Amino acid sequence: VDMVCEMMDRLDECQNVFKAARCIQVLPDGYLQIGPEGSDIVNDSIYVHQTTTNLFPVGYAESHKIVLQGPKGDEEETFHWDSFLQRTNYNPAPPHFFDKATSSDVTFKVGTRLEAIDQ
């Protein structure tokens, strides 16, 4: 509880933005309640299994040049983990908590067709 990470919010309309997130609750059987950091964290939270591929370690977005959205209402113009962690005293979830899939694990080629569910 209270460990932070980065999440791709599946319910957000533009799923290409990562959000600073925090674990609100650890549930039985490996499930977590995770919410995007901010005043509405509980209302905006989602329930995921700890093995989800939608959670990433702190710094992932920056290292892959992906936009990272900080807390709603945060006064920082650009979100930075260092100042946020100093201000809140939260701890980043350790990198080994996250899926280690690499691009060599992906067998898709550009143009590959597949079926998907549009949520």
Side-chain angles (χ1 to χ4, degrees):
V1 172
D2 285 340
M3 285 185 164
V4 294
C5 62
E6 297 176 5
M7 70 182 277
M8 181 179 8
D9 188 349
R10 299 178 319 221
L11 304 178
D12 192 300
E13 291 173 4
C14 50
Q15 294 181 4
N16 58 346
V17 176
F18 279 37
K19 296 180 179 181
R22 181 164 35 107
C23 179
I24 300 167
Q25 190 174 195
V26 177
L27 303 161
D29 300 322
Y31 285 89
L32 308 167
Q33 181 183 8
I34 300 280
E37 195 57 60
S39 60
D40 247 2
I41 188 170
V42 174
N43 291 334
D44 293 340
S45 67
I46 58 173
Y47 295 90
V48 296
H49 194 266
Q50 65 189 13
T51 60
T52 182
T53 56
N54 293 319
L55 298 179
F56 303 86
V58 165
Y60 182 89
E62 181 180 17
S63 68
H64 289 85
K65 297 182 180 22
I66 300 169
V67 174
L68 178 64
Q69 188 178 81
K72 290 179 187 174
D74 195 337
E75 294 178 14
E76 290 184 37
E77 195 167 305
T78 305
F79 181 75
H80 296 286
W81 276 114
D82 291 338
S83 59
F84 178 78
L85 293 172
Q86 283 179 340
R87 209 170 60 233
T88 61
N89 288 323
Y90 293 139
N91 291 310
H96 70 269
F97 279 17
F98 304 92
D99 184 49
K100 299 255 194 260
T102 64
S103 58
S104 63
D105 297 330
V106 178
T107 57
F108 285 103
K109 303 285 185 249
V110 173
T112 300
R113 297 186 180 272
L114 61 130
E115 293 183 12
I117 296 173
D118 182 354
Q119 296 182 358

